[in-house]
Amino acid sequence: MSDISPLREAFAMNMNGMRKLRFDRRGLMAAILVVGLAGGWSCAKKAPDVTAGLARETFEAWVAKYAPAAYANPCQDVYVEFVERGPEGGAVPVLGYSWLTLDYTGKTLDGTVFVTRSDSISKRVGKFSYMTHYADDFLEFSTSSTKLCDGLRQALQTMRVGDSVKVYIPMNKGYAAGMGMNSAYAGESGVTYAMMPIMFEMRLRDLTMSPFVWERDSAERYARQHWGTDYRNDTVGMFMHIEKHNPTGDTITKDSSVYVFYEEYFMDGFLAATNVDTVAAKWHFTATSSNGELNETAYDPLLLQGSAGANASTNKVLYIAVQRMRKGEVAEVVTVSTWAQGDAGSTNVTPEVLPYQPMRYRIRVLEKWPEEDEDDEADK
């Protein structure tokens, strides 16, 4: 009996040890689970930061290798290479106040063009369109502009008028979904560039703090250079020259109804709109309806009544000008945007009209509907 008691005691001790071991294992597994959950939560929170950090490191390595001149000139979150400097003391953009005249081409880092203001580049990449007005952009330098991503705003704050730069922009300072240079501008090539590192070749040509004064001065300068003093300016920002007089033609009042052929041009002479078929053909313009079919009435004379101009949303210049003409006369007009497409411009038409764009018009008032001339000839 004395030999059995030590065995029982040893057995009891072993059982207690096994129970303790099982308890310790449960505690250990619970601890691992808690730590694992905490660690998983921490990794989930840090994952975007890690991804962004890796994206930034990759971007910087790319710039260092392929754009060393820009890499040597960091500017906040972007890298800027000055290709050409403007005159010392040149005007600098002021965020929230300046309107900028910019020439630019945007590319992904593999060199694919996604937007350009240059017709030659558009031709080279196979995206040229006759109905696209390839010209400098005119845009507000503001935090609300969807045309300007954060990276471009940072770069522009280092520039002065006349500067030409290459700017390299990381993914998180580029374009987010819903942003873009301009979805209605046909100079965009359909290439995806949102949420990607990108680069811009950009020149700041000019800037102004007073866009209306800028466009009014542009219109008046054109009138003086082309017509001397032979123009009238009895409407603010609108200058009118009679190209072809018709002293015997009927006068036109605000209540008169007249038929008009017109041509609308940008200041550089590019056609914006017309109802003259031969002019449209010269510029390779094709008038289509909303369903994409040929618009057969697009080149009919436009019927205008002067008094209706007050309710017109665009091209008020036509209604104003005809009241200062006689039937059978032809006039040239240059005007600020107020009397043309409006100071907000029109980005939903082709070609797009930018904000505060002065425009040129050639207006011919018919003496009667053209078919009436044909009927008169048939009666003879």
Side-chain angles (χ1 to χ4, degrees):
M1 295 293 292
S2 60
D3 292 335
I4 294 174
S5 296
L7 288 174
R8 288 178 176 174
E9 185 178 352
F11 178 76
M13 290 176 64
N14 285 338
M15 290 302 293
N16 288 336
M18 291 298 291
R19 292 190 190 100
K20 184 177 181 182
L21 178 61
R22 284 197 295 270
F23 174 80
D24 290 345
R25 281 179 178 172
R26 290 191 191 102
L28 178 62
M29 292 303 295
I32 290 173
L33 181 61
V34 170
V35 171
L37 288 173
W41 176 256
S42 177
C43 288
K45 288 179 68 178
K46 292 181 179 178
D49 295 336
V50 171
T51 302
L54 289 173
R56 179 72 196 192
E57 289 178 8
T58 303
F59 168 74
E60 290 187 353
W62 188 97
V63 176
K65 182 175 181 179
Y66 296 105
Y71 190 70
N73 188 34
C75 170
Q76 298 184 62
D77 299 297
V78 303
Y79 293 96
V80 180
E81 176 186 349
F82 284 90
V83 178
E84 183 180 345
R85 296 308 310 259
E88 288 285 347
V92 297
V94 179
L95 191 63
Y97 293 92
S98 300
W99 282 78
L100 312 178
T101 301
L102 283 176
D103 180 21
Y104 53 76
T105 295
K107 304 176 183 179
T108 56
L109 294 189
D110 65 0
T112 303
V113 173
F114 60 81
V115 67
T116 184
R117 308 299 300 195
S118 167
D119 58 349
S120 61
I121 293 177
S122 191
K123 288 176 181 176
R124 178 165 57 81
V125 300
K127 296 295 183 179
F128 176 79
S129 167
Y130 282 108
M131 296 184 69
T132 297
H133 183 216
Y134 296 97
D136 294 339
D137 204 346
F138 187 70
L139 68 163
E140 186 179 13
F141 186 39
S142 70
T143 56
S144 61
S145 172
T146 58
K147 279 190 174 185
L148 294 176
C149 61
D150 286 342
L152 283 179
R153 275 190 281 267
Q154 290 180 10
L156 283 163
Q157 288 176 315
T158 72
M159 297 173 66
R160 60 177 180 253
V161 170
D163 280 354
S164 179
V165 302
K166 293 180 180 179
V167 53
Y168 298 85
I169 304 171
M171 176 183 68
N172 65 328
K173 296 301 175 181
Y175 290 93
M179 296 177 65
M181 295 307 296
N182 194 329
S183 59
Y185 174 59
E188 290 204 8
S189 60
V191 175
T192 299
Y193 57 95
M195 302 304 295
M196 295 178 64
I198 54 177
M199 69 87 63
F200 270 83
E201 297 169 347
M202 181 169 62
R203 180 183 290 273
L204 178 57
R205 295 197 187 277
D206 202 359
L207 64 80
T208 181
M209 303 288 188
S210 304
F212 176 79
V213 174
W214 169 82
E215 63 167 332
R216 183 202 62 198
D217 291 348
S218 298
E220 184 172 7
R221 185 164 53 249
Y222 179 92
R224 290 179 176 177
Q225 289 176 351
H226 291 81
W227 309 321
T229 58
D230 187 17
Y231 63 85
R232 59 189 299 172
N233 174 219
D234 47 13
T235 300
V236 176
M238 178 175 153
F239 305 86
M240 179 174 173
H241 165 75
I242 301 298
E243 177 185 314
K244 177 186 175 183
H245 291 271
N246 184 24
T248 61
D250 293 342
T251 57
I252 302 169
T253 67
K254 67 178 183 178
D255 297 319
S256 301
S257 294
V258 294
Y259 292 104
V260 170
F261 280 119
Y262 76 95
E263 302 158 43
E264 181 187 18
Y265 296 93
F266 294 95
M267 294 300 289
D268 61 5
F270 188 88
L271 182 68
T274 186
N275 65 341
V276 182
D277 55 359
T278 55
V279 174
K282 175 184 174 183
W283 286 87
H284 304 279
F285 274 34
T286 303
T288 56
S289 56
S290 57
N291 60 7
E293 296 181 357
L294 187 66
N295 187 346
E296 296 181 357
T297 63
Y299 302 115
D300 287 344
L302 185 64
L303 178 61
L304 294 180
Q305 186 176 43
S307 59
N311 299 319
S313 58
T314 61
N315 287 330
K316 289 187 177 184
V317 58
L318 299 177
Y319 299 89
I320 297 172
V322 296
Q323 295 179 60
R324 291 154 175 76
M325 300 172 66
R326 290 176 178 269
K327 290 184 177 181
E329 290 189 333
V330 178
E332 291 181 84
V333 180
V334 59
T335 178
V336 295
S337 58
T338 303
W339 315 118
Q341 297 294 332
D343 58 18
S346 184
T347 58
N348 60 349
V349 298
T350 302
E352 69 161 351
V353 179
L354 296 168
Y356 294 104
Q357 292 301 293
M359 303 293 283
R360 293 164 42 199
Y361 290 80
R362 188 172 188 269
I363 304 167
R364 178 159 66 99
V365 180
L366 306 183
E367 295 195 70
K368 52 187 172 182
W369 179 262
E371 291 180 358
E372 293 179 17
D373 292 330
E374 295 175 7
D375 294 339
D376 291 343
E377 291 294 327
D379 293 338
K380 290 181 181 180

